[in-house]
Amino acid sequence: MGNKKREILIGMDLSQEEEIFSEYLTECKEHLEEMELLVDKLKDPTAVTSEEINTVLRGFHSIKGGAGFLGLSKIRDLSHSLESLMVGIRDGKIKHQAEMSSTLIKGLDKIRKLIQDIKNQDIDISIEVADIEKWFDSLHSEETEKTKVRVVNKENKTVKSEPQETKLEEKVIKSESLTDETIRIKLSLVDTIMNLVGELVLTRNRLMDVFSETKFTKENLLLKEFDFLVTNLHHSILKSRMQPLSNLFRKIPGIVREISGALGKEVEVQIAGEGIELDKVVLEGLSDPMTHILRNTLDHGIETAEERIKLGKSEKGKITISAVQKEDMIQIEVTDDGRGLSVEKIKKKIIEKNIRSESELDSLGENQIFNFILLPGFSTKDEVSAVSGRGVGMDVIQKNLSNLGGGVRITSKEGEGTRITMEVPLTVAIIPALTVSCKGARYAIPHTAINEVILFKEDEAIQKIDELAGFLVLKLRDQLIPIIPLVSVILPEKSKDPISFLRQPEISIVIVKSGQSEYGLIVDEIQRSQEVVVKQIPNFFKHSDYFSGVTIFENGMPGMILDVNGIATRQGLSMERISPPVKKQDGIEIASNKEVMILIFKGCESELIAVRLSKVHRIEKIEAKKLQSIGKRKFLQYKESKVEVVFLDDLIAISPINRQAQSYYMIVIKKGAIYKGVLTEKLEDLQQVEADSIPVLQGTTQKTDQVFIKGKMATLINIERLLGFDESVQGIST
Amino acid sequence: MKYIKVQTQNEIICLKLENVVEVGHIKDITEYSEENTSLRGVANLRNQIVPILELITLLKKKGKPYLSYGKIVFIRPLKHRDILDPLIGLLVDKVGQLDVVEESEIIFAPRNRQSHPMPMVLFKKQEKVMSLINIEDILVTEMKKIERKYNVK
């Protein structure tokens, strides 16, 4: 068989030979990647299955076969030695020991080197071969002494006899016959078929549009059948592009080994969910973010063995990578048990880099602070190492995932570790999307990015939409959500009047999620949900950040697919951005020349109470039955801790608040890690007023003051003082 | 050299025929504009998404609403590898006839691109001075301008 192949090779022209070489190299890389993960598993002889041992064995056998055929003697000899070791383990002739994993890893690394530098066959393999031989030398059973294995050293001398070659050949032939069910196909061909199916879906959509008015006609029934076939074809071809996550995960042990070795750290990796399949484009897009996360985790997260021992942790660091499918999205979590992120260090860096002021940061939650490490050029590390610390890389995570229509979340606890959660869609070729219109053009918003769609009449809009610090905000279920008209994003020159949409009889807002926050896109009309074929965005538009792709609608018109993360980033849309900055002088808040946002709520029937919004952490609607009384004090379970709450009439002289209500609004105030709540029955309004027209009470002993807000008298309260947060300040008056 | 005449606002510009693929209608554009650039939207040309640019803005003059244009000239960049889009649409008011210019008719052909922001040659045709622009060079300049706008490194 081998000789016959050799003859064919001699008769081939150079391009054919190159093609065979190239195919062999691709095949080798695939085997190496597959074996990498399994060889790591061999560290635990009790955990590895016989099928996994066979897979490694087959890998070495295939590499050896091809190398022999192509005259690559070093690769052939080394893989043969490794194969023989695996045969010994499989047949129980050599006792499987955890340390063998290291021999196999070194062997794999050397084969990889030989493959990378295929022309240089002078690379020495004697150390690796000797390392393999030592396992044969340590054979202790009588049987194994008889059954010697031939190992070829660098001088090509036969050292030991070859065991059960026939048996192995039979097994391999048997397993190869099983793989006849699969064929190798060029990716470019799969892409071409996918593009053609995309065109077919577009044509189907057009036909559906043409015949949408007719029912039960012959054409319509035929079209239904066509639709069914196209949908099935589309799903089948999508499946052909699906690849298991193991294709990505199997590279991880190697990366971790390499980086942790360079850093002198010992790290154990646990992987779960590698069987989940996703589109090859998505898989490829995950590769860079995964590498960057691992580099940063190993460099910044995991401590050295000495540090870990001092901290009472196990000597070896631990990284867990797991994947789960949630409907059309895949969630990949990378968790480590390292030093975690320091909120204070990140805050310090943010202030140093002038990204946010201290007071702005005070209003942000920990997870929002962690998001800053995803900014380009952001690094808290003072020294740059060969692995990381330049602040380059973490932004790649955000950018790549956003391009795929996904996102990233970071949670961390200092001293305990960090969890980075990446979320990506299963496929990006044909996606379900909501189509919306804006100034006569249609745009698509991927379903995966949408939280909800809100429609309301013009008169409702006036109550629900407000302007705050130059941004439009929507009051939705006691939350303030930044909103932006799509026209001002897409066609800025056509949106000179940013609130012109308020004059429409009906207002449509699509609430989309961007990272850990959400915002609303105001569109002219919500159209319908449909599958859209994602086409590459023209090169001239690729820097715009606003679009993740382009599609062609059923009427033949092109439409942009919106990248909601890109829009949020470029428009600066997040709640923390729209909180008005607080100026301080000698530690006392002073009024700025800008406008401030005032939250107005009702004490009882007609009394209006006002508080600066910047002092409010959150507003929650709570059920009265959830209030717990301890003596005269009232508490509520809030964010895993007990929060003391007070009725406003207990604090200031106002008419009594109804104690029999079913629910209340809790205005949550936060100072450091302490929360306190003020209960009231009704929220009245959110008003933006000139800062100079509102007295500054914070930082003073004064608890209340009377103010006119938009023509109405209201009691402005110094909420921090009332709740005892501000006791240290004495004798200062406005 | 064969060229095609196009009119955009009051300018008559000549484009090399080898770059011109076909002429289309304005109604098929999905509008999207970027401030201070010539980008005006995308069009679907036989299932290929083509970026649409405003020629007059490329010539460093003030633009106008896309609907007031009459035609799109689809061009194919042939020489510049930097232009990755296989087709690009240019918004123009009118498309005129095809003509030929001989080497001897050329009266001005700047060699130093630095001193001439608009790479072009001038020639005389029926006593009129005509401008034949090197659209590919102009597109590369525009692309770099867009990249600078977004700080692409």
Side-chain angles (χ1 to χ4, degrees), chain A residues 199 206 441 443 490-494 535 538-541 543-544 546-547 550-552 556-558 560 570, chain B residues 27-35 39 41-44 47 49 51 84-85 88 139 143 146-147 150 152:
Chain A
E199 300 301 329
R206 280 185 213 180
Y443 300 88
I490 308 292
L491 304 163
E493 80 281 6
K494 284 194 178 176
K535 287 179 171 273
N539 202 49
F540 264 101
F541 289 89
H543 308 302
S544 97
Y546 288 157
F547 313 112
V550 201
T551 190
I552 296 174
M557 288 294 283
M560 306 292 200
R570 228 172 99 189
Chain B
K27 63 179 172 57
D28 301 329
I29 293 181
T30 293
E31 203 185 355
Y32 165 69
S33 65
E34 281 281 349
E35 274 175 318
L39 298 175
V42 286
N44 167 18
N47 284 348
I49 306 282
L84 298 175
D85 290 311
I88 289 151
L139 287 171
M143 221 165 64
I146 294 168
E147 283 176 0
Y150 295 107
V152 179

Side-chain angles (χ1 to χ4, degrees), chain A residues 297-450:
Chain A
T297 301
L298 289 162
D299 197 11
H300 302 294
I302 304 286
E303 309 92 338
T304 59
E306 299 80 51
E307 281 176 295
R308 290 181 67 84
I309 292 165
K310 270 185 200 165
L311 292 164
K313 293 182 178 182
S314 63
E315 200 174 331
K316 268 188 181 178
K318 191 172 165 187
I319 298 176
T320 311
I321 296 155
S322 63
V324 283
Q325 184 172 344
K326 290 187 174 176
E327 294 175 10
D328 288 342
M329 300 293 281
I330 301 283
Q331 216 174 62
I332 301 169
E333 282 185 356
V334 182
T335 313
D336 69 74
D337 69 344
R339 53 173 69 94
L341 295 170
S342 160
V343 180
E344 289 314 311
K345 258 189 177 177
I346 299 172
K347 275 185 173 179
K348 198 179 153 202
K349 210 74 189 177
I350 295 168
I351 296 162
E352 253 176 51
K353 286 181 172 271
N354 223 6
I355 303 168
R356 294 280 195 282
S357 69
E358 199 172 348
S359 56
E360 281 178 300
L361 291 177
D362 283 344
S363 64
L364 301 187
E366 279 193 352
N367 293 350
Q368 286 170 307
I369 302 277
F370 296 148
N371 279 347
F372 284 92
I373 68 166
L374 299 168
L375 290 178
F378 193 93
S379 174
T380 55
K381 210 163 184 191
D382 297 326
E383 293 152 21
V384 174
S385 74
V387 178
S388 62
R390 289 173 197 278
V392 179
M394 290 304 277
D395 59 311
V396 169
I397 302 169
Q398 178 104 299
K399 179 84 185 157
N400 282 26
L401 297 178
S402 181
N403 286 346
L404 294 170
V408 60
R409 287 196 307 274
I410 303 169
T411 52
S412 184
K413 200 157 187 189
E414 201 170 356
E416 291 181 21
T418 304
R419 172 176 293 151
I420 300 180
T421 309
M422 295 184 277
E423 205 172 59
V424 285
L426 279 175
T427 179
V428 289
I430 298 176
I431 57 165
L434 179 74
T435 54
V436 297
S437 74
C438 177
K439 295 282 169 210
R442 285 169 78 188
Y443 300 88
I445 308 174
H447 275 187
T448 50
I450 299 173

